Amino acid sequence: MSFRQARHEEPLTFEMAYCEVGESMPVPDGLLPANLVRKDVPCIPKLSEREMVRHFTALSQMNYGVDSGFYPLGSCTMKYGPKINEELASLPKAADIHPLQPEETVQGTLQILYELQNMLATITGMDAVSLQPAAGAQGEFTGLLIARAFHEKNGEERTEVVLPDTSHGTNPASAVMAGFNVVTIPSKDGRVDLDALSAAVSEKTAAFMLTNPNTLGIFESQVLEIAKIMHDAGALLYYDGANVNAIMGKTTPGKMEFDIVHLNLHKTFSTPHGGGGPGSGPVCVKERFAGFLPVPVVAKKGEGYSLNYDIPDSIGKVHGFYGNWGVMLRAYAYILMNGRDGLTEAAERAVLNSNYLKKLVERFLVVPYSGLRKHEFVASGSSLKEKGVRTMDVAKRLIDYGFHPPTVYFPLLIEEALMIEPTETEVKYTLDKFAEALASIVKESPEILHNAPQNASVKRVNETEAAKKLILTYRDYLEDIE
Amino acid sequence: MSFRQARHEEPLTFEMAYCEVGESMPVPDGLLPANLVRKDVPCIPKLSEREMVRHFTALSQMNYGVDSGFYPLGSCTMKYGPKINEELASLPKAADIHPLQPEETVQGTLQILYELQNMLATITGMDAVSLQPAAGAQGEFTGLLIARAFHEKNGEERTEVVLPDTSHGTNPASAVMAGFNVVTIPSKDGRVDLDALSAAVSEKTAAFMLTNPNTLGIFESQVLEIAKIMHDAGALLYYDGANVNAIMGKTTPGKMEFDIVHLNLHKTFSTPHGGGGPGSGPVCVKERFAGFLPVPVVAKKGEGYSLNYDIPDSIGKVHGFYGNWGVMLRAYAYILMNGRDGLTEAAERAVLNSNYLKKLVERFLVVPYSGLRKHEFVASGSSLKEKGVRTMDVAKRLIDYGFHPPTVYFPLLIEEALMIEPTETEVKYTLDKFAEALASIVKESPEILHNAPQNASVKRVNETEAAKKLILTYRDYLEDIE
Amino acid sequence: MLNDKDVKEMLAALDIDSVERLFDDIPESVRANLDGLQEGMSELQVRRHVESILAKNRDPRDTASFLGAGAYDFYVPAAVRAVMSRSEFLTSYTPYQSELSQGLLHALFEYQSMMAELTSMEVVNNSIYDYATALGEAILMAARLTKGTVFLIPEAMSRSKLSVIENYCRGAGIQLRRYKFDRTSGCADLESMKNQITDEIIGAYVETPNLFGVLETQLDDIRGLLDSKIFVAGVNALSLGIVRPPGDYDADIVITEGQIFGNPVNFGGPHLGVLACKKKFVRKMPGRVIGMTTDADGNRAFCMTLMTREQHIRREKATSNICTNEALTAIATASYLALTGGGDLRKLAISIAEKSRRLAKRLDELSGCKAPMFDGAHFSEFVVTLPKDASSIASQMLEKGVIPGVPLSHLIKGMENELLISVTDKTTLDDADSLVLTLQEVIQ
Amino acid sequence: MLNDKDVKEMLAALDIDSVERLFDDIPESVRANLDGLQEGMSELQVRRHVESILAKNRDPRDTASFLGAGAYDFYVPAAVRAVMSRSEFLTSYTPYQSELSQGLLHALFEYQSMMAELTSMEVVNNSIYDYATALGEAILMAARLTKGTVFLIPEAMSRSKLSVIENYCRGAGIQLRRYKFDRTSGCADLESMKNQITDEIIGAYVETPNLFGVLETQLDDIRGLLDSKIFVAGVNALSLGIVRPPGDYDADIVITEGQIFGNPVNFGGPHLGVLACKKKFVRKMPGRVIGMTTDADGNRAFCMTLMTREQHIRREKATSNICTNEALTAIATASYLALTGGGDLRKLAISIAEKSRRLAKRLDELSGCKAPMFDGAHFSEFVVTLPKDASSIASQMLEKGVIPGVPLSHLIKGMENELLISVTDKTTLDDADSLVLTLQEVIQ
Ligand SMILES: Cc1ncc(COP(=O)(O)O)c(C=O)c1O
Ligand SMILES: Cc1ncc(COP(=O)(O)O)c(C=O)c1O
């Protein structure tokens, strides 16, 4: 007996029911000027509640989440999120609060946000916090806008952001969105190459973006030297906090002399990833950048709390309201529940799991760079190339064993990369099983691997065809089959 | 592409984690007398929340409910239950109310129960209602205890309950539990044989139990004659309300001159069946039996509501508290939401679906007895016997097509019975698909049918071995493998 | 709903012009409509309507409450609710088709196994409606196992429970007789029991903790007294974290209430009647049982077994009429127990017993109060004797926002000044403080 | 957690004696602990703690509220929440491995299709954070499609939205210029727009209904004015049940807020930024897109497509930095739309427009009030002009339990006496009555 994902013959909703387009459903006279009236009823088929629920239930069974099994997607921290968080976030007093309610009617929410700001300041070792960015990437964008405003205020025109080749794709993309040119420096032995860094830094450098531990899972032990290089050059050190899960209770970006930090609440602080989102990417800064944070920041006001818009150098806003409150509330509950010891233990267990699994995987796959890892490690599938097997084949085959594959082909400096982050919520039993599966996959025939997966709801998906045909809606589909 | 149920290699919780039995976990001195202290810690392994949730999530995917697909289990009315019911039943003001709270603190609950009593009286055409029985079978038991008490009060010793051979298994079982002897009469043309009934009825007869429409889905049109026979003999007419779904808005047991009725709230009034329960089986009676109902009944008291224990001839209690309030609340919400027209339409659509599907099925299977059906119909697989195929094989093969099989081998008077109840919440598309599946199964080879199912999480289960080995706990299993 | 395209096509296939034709077999003489009901509402209206009515209830968030007596408001972890909401469990029914229902069967097998460990019994069924009906079924089962006609039950039994079992015994003609309790310890009076043990006796029911919250100490003696008669033990499931389990003193049939593990109090239902027994008695057991077996490929599989005991096969010869049971609450309990584990169950039981002790002690210090009333050992519940009528004290305390417990007079006769007090893991120190302070005020 | 059996075995395998060894690579000089945080709590404690803080919030159950301005408190059906709670959706991430994620991909493809129908656009992505950021991305996208450097936006735009798009435009060096509105109708002033259309113009953003709740009437004229420049339309998604969709007037890029369909207001987030465009522009679009394709057996399958636009492949050349998006709210919206269908959406839109009309009329009858302030057509929201400062009237009304709407001065400058009022399907007649009565009292 082995894993097999459910398979349901689910049509599209458009194929299950018909649109009422043709039916006359006039807009009452005089309700709108005639030239504004929509003639047709939108072609959205209506399902009964039974049909709708059954449809999405079937679809859900053809999807895989952390609650379905091991999901070692490197860099994404797919840890289990306690169910209590979901219940709290759906309480009417949390979910049905309107963002424009008068302050005195949202004191509960403001108190939680205020306390969360303080908790995150403690966890990061920073001084001031904005909870507004709606995801990690937006945190980066916000942080870089702050850096930009800071330099501008100082009358400096700094146009470049430097980052290592191991950095996450959002880092360069955010830098560009914030108006910077990107300078990528190569790594050395899996860490920042200090010489390359020194060479790249100049009076044009606005900031260096780094995640520590980096995306190879390696701790950048020379971080204080890096900080010195940057600060000596008048540039800032930006911390991509996606990997804070590995260091809670051991060190902080503040202590490592970073200037600006973003966190991914949906990673370290357990919000389920929702099939892609929502997330939350707070920005934490040292005192001298506090005046640049987005408005509003939650402040204490007498006995109560208020939204403070009075931030002189504020960059303004990056979200229509205050960011993803629903995610912040979950993070707040998670931090409360774990407390200082719980968070520290989470980091410890995450790192233990990662090093243990690395040890197992090293028996049959190369894991470039020796030494300790933090929350994740990157193995290379390059040894399989000679038998015509790519890392993607290994990934697809892992599906047949009931595991979600790791992140593949990233970071780019590792050939045929498999980036594995077990997280602290997994137990040894699962890690052993995963390593066993990987070990046997490595030995399997290319045929098997090329034809994987066999046990998912579909066989290997033709992504090339998708990009060529571009069927992006039901209407596209109807045109295509004509 | 076709249906395939999920399959997960789920161990038993006992195999996932270890028991802390061996570990010392002393009970503090003096907390209990030494001879009362449990020495060992109960051997129940502890899973982390992640493991527990993942385990039961995997198990759930290997289970099939109405939300998974068509579930035409005859007699069980597997209709879709609106999700709002679940939310209402889990509100703290519904779920966290203690049954022994003072009346003034549970006025909301009492009001709902009071209104529900009245609604059910209207729907059944009866005069008084007890919500206490926890399921249909307990409703029967309660109803028969009332019949018994009624006759006893009249100084009559009536020891027999008569019922047709089409009656549900709980009917005779309940009659015996209530202390009656059971007299079963054969049916004629799928209906009660009036001659057989007359012959069976005597001064010993306490009641005749009937469901109308009966379990063949046939309406007993002679019900008033039946009532006359019973009442002339001084016996009562008991209505098994499991099939009320078929007649709401068209007739009532009251109008049909039944004396005592039970309903299955979890069938007609949409509570999900929960893998076997909970249910709720209110008993509704004509005025002359009101004084025998279980205590308490909810009564109006001034502006408020109270639990009335002052019922002179009450049979007493059949449940530790007041029955399954959680189920009653769902039924209340369901009746509110549907209203008179909604309930009538539900019956109409249920009957339409049943007759339509019967029409389709008749093309390739015998459906004994001609004419209209109400909510369900019973087909016979007898024609397949010659090729060595039993109804159970057909049922198992339906699984491969993604359908839950109908009730099989009941009622007994139909050879190789397949008892099919589509319910009103299904659409034509599903009925057509089901009939298609059945049509092709009938033509499939015996090999295929004997080896079905192939697409469930396991292959055909060996029930004989289960009964022989009797492995009923993990401990039994350990002993067995030794 | 009834004028859509589907309906038209189906009517055409049936060759009729209106759905009404399908009801031609219902004679005019019995026609009746639903005009007594109101029109339907939208989901939003229903929600508002129900919420506005329920707002009249007071719940433990408003009002500190010390009610127990069979329903215990323990915390239900969110993860248990998450499991309960899995619609594949929620919307399924009795697993008649085992191949499609392995998930439920597997979970129920685990439920059986965990409950067996907890009670130290060999077999556990898949649920009876609640504690009281489980006791009723246990007595009927006991009667099937022996030739007797009389069953012994404790004098101290709540009216409700007594009434339920009287009803269960009525049909089978079983007579109930009562044995006394010791007025000092609150335990069973063994002399009284012994005196009544004759040939016609089926067996006896012993409750521990009993109505007074007192733990029975002479269980081995009772076993001895009963000899080959059937020993039915009723226990508090959580107490078994620290208290000797019934298997240990050789009980034959055990009942308990599973609600305490992962189910809300629900105004008394759905609850979870647990019934366990020795394996040699399993063929006389009521209700469903799941067995482990294999499938055609030899893989592990589960199915319902011993179905020939049940009504759908055996009809009037069945061991019970039970059909719809409380499976979903059993799943909740299984997930609760898996999340808790034996060790934490023991810790929880210890903390509850200690909390109960502390509270009793504080109440005992109030003038005119004695707590616990009885000498015997207690678990989570105890009786306090008050200087005045407990019902009226309780009413006065309610006005001050405290529900201090169940006046014993609501449960049995002749104990007017007594109040039954229960604590759970939700009982806070604040709750305890307000109980003590409010009681003090009221009795002054 | 860290002294269990597993840990011991893992440490042994790693040949170290303590987990602390795994942190030897973190120099002493940067060590820091979490002593600033408190100790952990149990789940029950966390629940109570959070609930007690949240109790300080007032929600629409306590307080009639007419707030809108971008967040709309429509009823979320229980069935939508049931779908949202399916943990296979909830706990998954971006469907990088399409074979294992067909369910999500399928649902998102349906989302794209339904939103395309609603807007009459060809392509819809899988979400931007919210409306304001979707607008920011839309302007950046427009800039990629043309050579211009200046983008036209309406004068009447809320401070927040303006600030967000200014930040989005900053890096790209896009200049924002404003076109005026007509003081009578509240619609765009076409002269003002026309005058500003020069070679350097990228395009223009038109909002309908706009900040004042006024529906733009001259959409075809605007399209004509803009010629080959990019026409970005911002709409109220529900209004499209009855109002001409942007595809109909040939908009190039469309943004809207999907929160209104099946998502709670959530104090402003998570919301659902919707971004649609013409298919010919899809390669310049930000965010994820799902395509239909086949699997190795030729069966229908779905996958993310055009990923070379995205940051994880394209890095600094990506069309956006967006990675984590709002997929779950898109699923909620898909399920909401499937449950509602086009016809009921139209009915809902009609009933909301009518409700809004009725309310405006009642307010207009109050002395010193004018509602709606503008002549133009409205959908669900309108501005009322009050005889006095709107902020202080709102404060006084709050004391009487009504939140009457958003004082316009909170959103833009120079409109002190104006209040923006919005209705939803949750707004009852009672709510409307208390708004009218309370306002009457306060302005007297
Ligand atoms: C290292 C790193 N940085 C940044 C991000 C971007 O964060 P988000 O997806 O929340 O926008 C990620 C997300 O995968 C990441 O792993
Ligand atoms: C006709 C009929 N009567 C009685 C019952 C028993 O009801 P319950 O299962 O609620 O005890 C059933 C249940 O299947 C039934 O179908």
Side-chain angles (χ1 to χ4, degrees), chain C residues 23-255:
Chain C
F23 293 90
D24 283 348
D25 52 354
I26 303 188
E28 267 315 310
S29 53
V30 299
R31 287 300 186 118
N33 63 31
L34 292 177
D35 282 354
L37 294 183
Q38 298 196 294
E39 272 183 63
M41 293 181 180
S42 74
E43 179 180 317
L44 172 57
Q45 285 169 325
V46 169
R47 171 186 289 278
R48 285 187 162 155
H49 183 79
V50 172
E51 283 184 356
S52 74
I53 298 179
L54 287 176
K56 299 178 197 171
N57 284 348
R58 282 166 75 171
D59 68 55
R61 283 174 171 82
D62 320 315
T63 315
S65 167
F66 295 83
L67 298 170
Y72 301 100
D73 183 30
F74 276 72
Y75 182 65
V76 179
V80 170
R81 249 187 310 274
V83 168
M84 298 288 278
S85 76
R86 292 295 299 179
S87 59
E88 297 92 334
F89 289 142
L90 187 67
T91 69
S92 66
Y93 198 31
T94 310
Y96 294 118
Q97 298 292 341
S98 45
E99 293 85 358
L100 211 46
S101 313
Q102 285 297 302
L104 181 75
L105 289 161
H106 185 128
L108 289 174
F109 183 86
E110 291 179 342
Y111 165 80
Q112 292 175 180
S113 301
M114 290 190 263
M115 275 295 177
E117 291 299 328
L118 187 70
T119 54
S120 280
M121 299 298 289
E122 289 166 325
V123 184
V124 180
N125 80 2
N126 269 200
S127 73
I128 302 295
Y129 309 125
D130 70 347
Y131 189 108
T133 53
L135 177 54
E137 292 277 14
I139 298 172
L140 293 180
M141 177 179 167
R144 287 192 290 273
L145 293 169
T146 61
K147 284 201 212 54
T149 54
V150 178
F151 192 80
L152 292 179
I153 58 170
E155 184 188 358
M157 182 183 263
S158 77
R159 273 188 206 99
S160 295
K161 208 181 281 171
L162 180 62
S163 180
V164 172
I165 62 173
E166 280 172 352
N167 272 325
Y168 271 77
C169 290
R170 185 156 289 135
I174 299 166
Q175 221 189 303
L176 295 170
R177 276 196 212 136
R178 329 272 299 239
Y179 60 86
K180 298 200 185 316
F181 64 91
D182 182 278
R183 305 279 144 173
T184 311
S185 69
C187 290
D189 176 342
L190 257 57
E191 274 312 299
S192 160
M193 190 186 281
K194 190 173 172 187
N195 293 339
Q196 300 190 63
I197 297 181
T198 60
D199 273 359
E200 47 182 346
I201 293 294
I202 296 163
Y205 168 59
V206 178
E207 204 167 78
T208 174
N210 62 18
L211 179 69
F212 307 127
V214 172
L215 290 161
E216 199 52 64
T217 42
Q218 314 156 85
L219 293 157
D220 298 307
D221 300 336
I222 292 173
R223 174 74 277 179
L225 279 184
L226 285 174
D227 192 23
S228 63
K229 315 266 180 217
I230 303 299
F231 185 172
V232 178
V235 298
N236 173 313
L238 178 58
S239 77
L240 300 184
I242 52 174
V243 173
R244 274 179 80 195
D248 212 36
Y249 42 88
D250 199 30
D252 297 302
I253 304 175
V254 174
I255 57 156

Side-chain angles (χ1 to χ4, degrees), chain B residues 364 398 401 403 432-442 444:
Chain B
F364 46 84
L398 274 168
Y401 285 79
F403 298 109
D432 290 341
K433 286 271 170 196
F434 177 78
E436 264 171 45
L438 206 50
S440 60
I441 288 171
V442 164
E444 283 179 334

Side-chain angles (χ1 to χ4, degrees), chain A residues 5 10-13 15 20 25 27 30-31 33 35-36 38 40-44 46-47 55 59-60 62-67 71 76 84 87 92-93 95-98 101 105-106 108-109 111 137-138 167 169-170 174 177 179 219 221 246 249-251 255 266 272-278 315-320 322 324-326 332 336-337 339-340 345 348-349 353 359 374 396 428 456 459-462 465-467 470-477, chain D residues 1-2 4 6-7 9-10 13-14 20 22-23 25 29-32 34 37-41 47 49 53-54 56-62 68 71 86-93 97 99-104 106 109-110 112-113 117-118 122 130 133 163-164 167-168 171 216-217 240 242-244 264-270 279 291-297 300 303 305 311 315 321 324-328 338-344 346 354 357 377:
Chain A
Q5 196 179 33
E10 280 306 297
L12 294 164
T13 55
E15 295 159 335
E20 294 165 287
M25 208 178 276
V27 173
L31 194 64
N35 72 334
L36 281 189
R38 181 177 192 137
D40 60 318
V41 172
C43 176
I44 299 174
K46 177 184 171 67
L47 307 184
H55 178 60
L59 292 183
S60 75
M62 296 193 282
N63 214 54
Y64 189 102
V66 170
D67 284 12
Y71 208 131
C76 299
I84 180 72
E87 293 196 353
K93 291 251 182 245
D96 295 346
I97 305 302
H98 193 282
Q101 279 182 223
T105 67
V106 293
T109 291
Q111 180 179 342
Q138 219 198 15
S167 68
T170 51
S174 299
M177 272 182 76
F219 191 80
S221 317
K250 302 297 173 187
T251 177
K255 191 83 186 196
H266 48 299
H273 287 58
I315 59 161
K317 299 203 70 181
V318 295
H319 187 270
Y322 322 109
N324 283 337
W325 147 250
Y332 175 76
L336 275 188
M337 184 125 83
R340 54 167 184 255
E345 278 179 21
E348 289 174 351
R349 184 76 184 237
N353 280 351
K359 181 99 184 180
K374 297 273 89 48
K396 297 301 183 199
K428 178 172 173 294
K459 301 285 169 65
R460 187 82 65 105
V461 172
N462 192 337
E465 181 189 297
L470 279 192
I471 302 177
L472 307 179
T473 60
Y474 179 62
R475 232 171 245 265
D476 284 349
Y477 165 71
Chain D
M1 178 185 191
L2 272 162
D4 63 22
D6 272 13
V7 170
E9 288 175 25
M10 289 195 278
L14 289 167
E20 206 35 64
L22 297 172
F23 294 89
D25 53 353
S29 53
V30 298
R31 287 301 187 119
L34 293 177
L37 294 182
Q38 298 196 296
E39 270 182 65
M41 292 181 180
R47 171 186 288 279
H49 183 80
I53 298 178
L54 287 177
K56 299 179 196 169
N57 283 348
R58 282 165 75 171
D59 69 53
R61 283 177 171 81
D62 319 316
R86 292 293 301 179
S87 60
E88 297 92 333
F89 289 142
L90 188 67
T91 69
S92 67
Y93 198 30
Q97 297 292 341
E99 293 84 358
L100 210 46
S101 313
Q102 285 297 302
L104 181 75
H106 185 129
F109 183 86
E110 291 179 340
Q112 292 176 180
S113 302
E117 291 299 329
L118 188 69
E122 289 166 326
D130 70 347
T133 54
S163 180
V164 172
N167 272 325
Y168 271 77
E216 199 54 63
T217 41
L240 299 184
I242 50 174
V243 173
R244 274 179 80 195
V265 280
N266 272 332
F267 196 59
K279 198 161 181 182
M292 187 193 278
T293 177
T294 51
D295 74 354
D297 286 350
R300 182 189 277 179
C303 63
T305 191
Q311 49 72 29
R315 300 179 67 86
N321 69 339
T324 292
N325 58 16
E326 309 283 319
L328 193 68
L339 195 60
T340 310
D344 282 3
R346 193 173 187 92
E354 288 177 337
R357 287 290 171 96

